[in-house]
Amino acid sequence: MRADAVRGHLDAMLLAVLEPGPRHGYAIITAVQRRSGGTLELRTGTVYPALNRLERLGLLRSRWQPVADRPRRCYELTEAGRRSLADARSTWQEFTATVGAVLDLAPARHAT
Protein backbone atom coordinates (compact mmCIF):
# COMPACT_ATOMS: atom_id res chain seq x y z
CA MET A 1 0.00 0.00 0.00
CA ARG A 2 1.33 3.43 -0.87
CA ALA A 3 2.41 5.67 2.00
CA ASP A 4 0.27 8.56 0.73
CA ALA A 5 -2.84 6.36 1.09
CA VAL A 6 -2.19 6.21 4.84
CA ARG A 7 -1.50 9.91 5.21
CA GLY A 8 -4.34 11.62 7.01
CA HIS A 9 -5.46 8.38 8.66
CA LEU A 10 -2.41 7.59 10.78
CA ASP A 11 -3.71 9.29 13.92
CA ALA A 12 -6.99 7.38 13.84
CA MET A 13 -5.19 4.08 13.26
CA LEU A 14 -2.86 4.70 16.20
CA LEU A 15 -5.78 5.62 18.44
CA ALA A 16 -7.68 2.51 17.30
CA VAL A 17 -4.89 0.08 18.16
CA LEU A 18 -4.59 1.71 21.58
CA GLU A 19 -8.31 1.41 22.31
CA PRO A 20 -8.05 -2.02 23.99
CA GLY A 21 -5.32 -0.80 26.36
CA PRO A 22 -1.79 0.53 26.73
CA ARG A 23 0.98 -0.57 24.36
CA HIS A 24 4.59 0.39 23.77
CA GLY A 25 5.74 1.72 20.40
CA TYR A 26 6.87 -1.54 18.83
CA ALA A 27 3.64 -3.25 19.95
CA ILE A 28 1.66 -0.43 18.32
CA ILE A 29 3.52 -0.89 15.03
CA THR A 30 2.99 -4.66 15.22
CA ALA A 31 -0.73 -4.23 15.98
CA VAL A 32 -1.23 -1.99 12.94
CA GLN A 33 0.58 -4.49 10.76
CA ARG A 34 -1.40 -7.43 12.16
CA ARG A 35 -4.78 -5.66 11.92
CA SER A 36 -4.04 -4.67 8.31
CA GLY A 37 -3.25 -8.26 7.37
CA GLY A 38 0.39 -7.30 6.84
CA THR A 39 -0.44 -4.61 4.28
CA LEU A 40 0.65 -1.67 6.43
CA GLU A 41 4.23 -1.56 7.65
CA LEU A 42 4.71 1.67 9.53
CA ARG A 43 8.18 2.98 10.20
CA THR A 44 9.33 4.06 13.63
CA GLY A 45 10.26 7.44 12.14
CA THR A 46 6.59 7.93 11.32
CA VAL A 47 4.98 6.40 14.40
CA TYR A 48 6.97 7.93 17.26
CA PRO A 49 6.60 11.56 16.14
CA ALA A 50 2.86 10.93 15.67
CA LEU A 51 2.58 9.42 19.17
CA ASN A 52 4.41 12.42 20.64
CA ARG A 53 2.11 14.82 18.77
CA LEU A 54 -1.01 12.95 19.92
CA GLU A 55 0.29 13.11 23.48
CA ARG A 56 0.90 16.88 23.21
CA LEU A 57 -2.68 17.23 21.95
CA GLY A 58 -3.94 15.41 25.03
CA LEU A 59 -5.28 12.40 23.11
CA LEU A 60 -2.72 10.02 24.63
CA ARG A 61 -0.75 9.77 27.84
CA SER A 62 2.40 7.78 28.34
CA ARG A 63 4.46 6.35 31.16
CA TRP A 64 7.49 4.15 31.51
CA GLN A 65 6.67 0.54 32.31
CA PRO A 66 8.81 -2.58 32.50
CA VAL A 67 8.11 -4.87 29.55
CA ALA A 68 10.10 -8.10 29.52
CA ASP A 69 12.40 -6.63 32.19
CA ARG A 70 13.10 -3.60 30.03
CA PRO A 71 11.63 -0.14 30.57
CA ARG A 72 9.46 0.97 27.66
CA ARG A 73 7.29 4.00 27.13
CA CYS A 74 3.69 2.79 26.98
CA TYR A 75 0.90 4.87 25.49
CA GLU A 76 -2.79 4.83 26.31
CA LEU A 77 -5.87 6.74 25.24
CA THR A 78 -7.24 9.62 27.29
CA GLU A 79 -10.96 10.40 27.33
CA ALA A 80 -10.27 13.07 24.71
CA GLY A 81 -8.52 10.37 22.65
CA ARG A 82 -11.57 8.11 22.89
CA ARG A 83 -13.81 10.95 21.69
CA SER A 84 -11.40 11.74 18.87
CA LEU A 85 -11.39 8.07 17.80
CA ALA A 86 -15.21 7.99 17.78
CA ASP A 87 -15.25 11.14 15.62
CA ALA A 88 -12.62 9.68 13.28
CA ARG A 89 -14.65 6.49 12.86
CA SER A 90 -17.79 8.45 12.05
CA THR A 91 -15.92 10.62 9.54
CA TRP A 92 -14.31 7.53 7.98
CA GLN A 93 -17.66 5.76 7.58
CA GLU A 94 -19.18 8.82 5.92
CA PHE A 95 -16.15 9.21 3.65
CA THR A 96 -16.04 5.57 2.56
CA ALA A 97 -19.80 5.50 1.94
CA THR A 98 -19.54 8.62 -0.23
CA VAL A 99 -16.51 7.46 -2.21
CA GLY A 100 -18.01 3.98 -2.50
CA ALA A 101 -21.20 5.46 -3.97
CA VAL A 102 -19.14 7.26 -6.61
CA LEU A 103 -16.92 4.28 -7.44
CA ASP A 104 -19.75 1.75 -7.46
CA LEU A 105 -20.61 0.32 -10.88
CA ALA A 106 -24.32 0.57 -10.25
CA PRO A 107 -25.59 4.14 -10.42
CA ALA A 108 -27.21 5.49 -7.28
CA ARG A 109 -30.98 5.56 -7.39
CA HIS A 110 -32.51 8.83 -6.38
CA ALA A 111 -36.12 9.42 -5.50
CA THR A 112 -37.79 11.62 -8.09
mmCIF file of all heavy atoms in Angstrom, residues 6 10 14 42-51 53:
data_model
loop_
_atom_site.group_PDB
_atom_site.id
_atom_site.type_symbol
_atom_site.label_atom_id
_atom_site.label_comp_id
_atom_site.label_asym_id
_atom_site.label_seq_id
_atom_site.Cartn_x
_atom_site.Cartn_y
_atom_site.Cartn_z
ATOM 1 N N VAL A 6 -2.058 6.230 3.377
ATOM 2 C CA VAL A 6 -2.191 6.208 4.841
ATOM 3 C C VAL A 6 -2.235 7.625 5.413
ATOM 4 O O VAL A 6 -2.864 7.878 6.432
ATOM 5 C CB VAL A 6 -1.020 5.415 5.457
ATOM 6 C CG1 VAL A 6 -1.053 5.469 6.970
ATOM 7 C CG2 VAL A 6 -1.058 3.977 4.980
ATOM 8 N N LEU A 10 -3.343 8.163 9.811
ATOM 9 C CA LEU A 10 -2.413 7.592 10.779
ATOM 10 C C LEU A 10 -2.882 7.804 12.211
ATOM 11 O O LEU A 10 -2.889 6.861 13.008
ATOM 12 C CB LEU A 10 -1.012 8.169 10.589
ATOM 13 C CG LEU A 10 0.044 7.704 11.583
ATOM 14 C CD1 LEU A 10 0.256 6.195 11.471
ATOM 15 C CD2 LEU A 10 1.346 8.452 11.351
ATOM 16 N N LEU A 14 -3.602 4.831 14.940
ATOM 17 C CA LEU A 14 -2.857 4.703 16.196
ATOM 18 C C LEU A 14 -3.814 4.706 17.385
ATOM 19 O O LEU A 14 -3.673 3.893 18.310
ATOM 20 C CB LEU A 14 -1.830 5.824 16.326
ATOM 21 C CG LEU A 14 -0.713 5.815 15.288
ATOM 22 C CD1 LEU A 14 0.189 7.029 15.465
ATOM 23 C CD2 LEU A 14 0.090 4.522 15.337
ATOM 24 N N LEU A 42 4.346 0.313 9.138
ATOM 25 C CA LEU A 42 4.708 1.668 9.534
ATOM 26 C C LEU A 42 6.139 1.715 10.042
ATOM 27 O O LEU A 42 6.605 0.791 10.705
ATOM 28 C CB LEU A 42 3.753 2.166 10.623
ATOM 29 C CG LEU A 42 2.282 2.200 10.241
ATOM 30 C CD1 LEU A 42 1.449 2.666 11.438
ATOM 31 C CD2 LEU A 42 2.044 3.100 9.048
ATOM 32 N N ARG A 43 6.795 2.800 9.755
ATOM 33 C CA ARG A 43 8.179 2.984 10.199
ATOM 34 C C ARG A 43 8.198 3.712 11.542
ATOM 35 O O ARG A 43 7.341 4.536 11.825
ATOM 36 C CB ARG A 43 8.947 3.805 9.168
ATOM 37 C CG ARG A 43 9.042 3.116 7.838
ATOM 38 C CD ARG A 43 9.665 4.049 6.811
ATOM 39 N NE ARG A 43 9.585 3.464 5.498
ATOM 40 C CZ ARG A 43 10.618 3.016 4.833
ATOM 41 N NH1 ARG A 43 11.828 3.088 5.335
ATOM 42 N NH2 ARG A 43 10.462 2.496 3.637
ATOM 43 N N THR A 44 9.210 3.404 12.332
ATOM 44 C CA THR A 44 9.332 4.056 13.632
ATOM 45 C C THR A 44 9.460 5.567 13.473
ATOM 46 O O THR A 44 8.952 6.321 14.299
ATOM 47 C CB THR A 44 10.539 3.513 14.423
ATOM 48 O OG1 THR A 44 11.722 3.694 13.650
ATOM 49 C CG2 THR A 44 10.363 2.039 14.753
ATOM 50 N N GLY A 45 10.100 6.016 12.401
ATOM 51 C CA GLY A 45 10.258 7.444 12.142
ATOM 52 C C GLY A 45 8.959 8.140 11.828
ATOM 53 O O GLY A 45 8.884 9.373 11.847
ATOM 54 N N THR A 46 7.931 7.383 11.541
ATOM 55 C CA THR A 46 6.592 7.926 11.321
ATOM 56 C C THR A 46 5.759 7.819 12.587
ATOM 57 O O THR A 46 5.052 8.745 12.958
ATOM 58 C CB THR A 46 5.884 7.152 10.178
ATOM 59 O OG1 THR A 46 6.650 7.291 8.989
ATOM 60 C CG2 THR A 46 4.475 7.655 9.945
ATOM 61 N N VAL A 47 5.851 6.684 13.259
ATOM 62 C CA VAL A 47 4.982 6.396 14.404
ATOM 63 C C VAL A 47 5.338 7.219 15.637
ATOM 64 O O VAL A 47 4.456 7.832 16.253
ATOM 65 C CB VAL A 47 4.991 4.887 14.724
ATOM 66 C CG1 VAL A 47 4.249 4.590 16.022
ATOM 67 C CG2 VAL A 47 4.374 4.118 13.565
ATOM 68 N N TYR A 48 6.615 7.254 16.013
ATOM 69 C CA TYR A 48 6.969 7.930 17.261
ATOM 70 C C TYR A 48 6.684 9.431 17.236
ATOM 71 O O TYR A 48 6.144 9.962 18.219
ATOM 72 C CB TYR A 48 8.412 7.620 17.663
ATOM 73 C CG TYR A 48 8.549 6.212 18.196
ATOM 74 C CD1 TYR A 48 9.111 5.209 17.427
ATOM 75 C CD2 TYR A 48 8.078 5.878 19.462
ATOM 76 C CE1 TYR A 48 9.224 3.911 17.909
ATOM 77 C CE2 TYR A 48 8.178 4.590 19.950
ATOM 78 C CZ TYR A 48 8.752 3.618 19.169
ATOM 79 O OH TYR A 48 8.845 2.326 19.647
ATOM 80 N N PRO A 49 6.983 10.143 16.166
ATOM 81 C CA PRO A 49 6.597 11.564 16.143
ATOM 82 C C PRO A 49 5.075 11.745 16.231
ATOM 83 O O PRO A 49 4.594 12.676 16.880
ATOM 84 C CB PRO A 49 7.137 12.068 14.802
ATOM 85 C CG PRO A 49 8.250 11.140 14.466
ATOM 86 C CD PRO A 49 7.825 9.802 15.015
ATOM 87 N N ALA A 50 4.321 10.839 15.596
ATOM 88 C CA ALA A 50 2.858 10.925 15.671
ATOM 89 C C ALA A 50 2.377 10.672 17.100
ATOM 90 O O ALA A 50 1.484 11.369 17.595
ATOM 91 C CB ALA A 50 2.223 9.931 14.701
ATOM 92 N N LEU A 51 2.958 9.687 17.778
ATOM 93 C CA LEU A 51 2.583 9.420 19.168
ATOM 94 C C LEU A 51 2.890 10.623 20.053
ATOM 95 O O LEU A 51 2.075 11.005 20.909
ATOM 96 C CB LEU A 51 3.308 8.178 19.694
ATOM 97 C CG LEU A 51 2.892 6.845 19.088
ATOM 98 C CD1 LEU A 51 3.848 5.739 19.512
ATOM 99 C CD2 LEU A 51 1.457 6.497 19.443
ATOM 100 N N ARG A 53 3.059 13.752 19.119
ATOM 101 C CA ARG A 53 2.114 14.818 18.766
ATOM 102 C C ARG A 53 0.743 14.551 19.395
ATOM 103 O O ARG A 53 0.114 15.451 19.961
ATOM 104 C CB ARG A 53 1.996 14.920 17.241
ATOM 105 C CG ARG A 53 1.101 16.030 16.763
ATOM 106 C CD ARG A 53 1.120 16.187 15.259
ATOM 107 N NE ARG A 53 1.233 14.956 14.498
ATOM 108 C CZ ARG A 53 0.240 14.081 14.324
ATOM 109 N NH1 ARG A 53 -0.939 14.314 14.841
ATOM 110 N NH2 ARG A 53 0.433 12.991 13.618
#
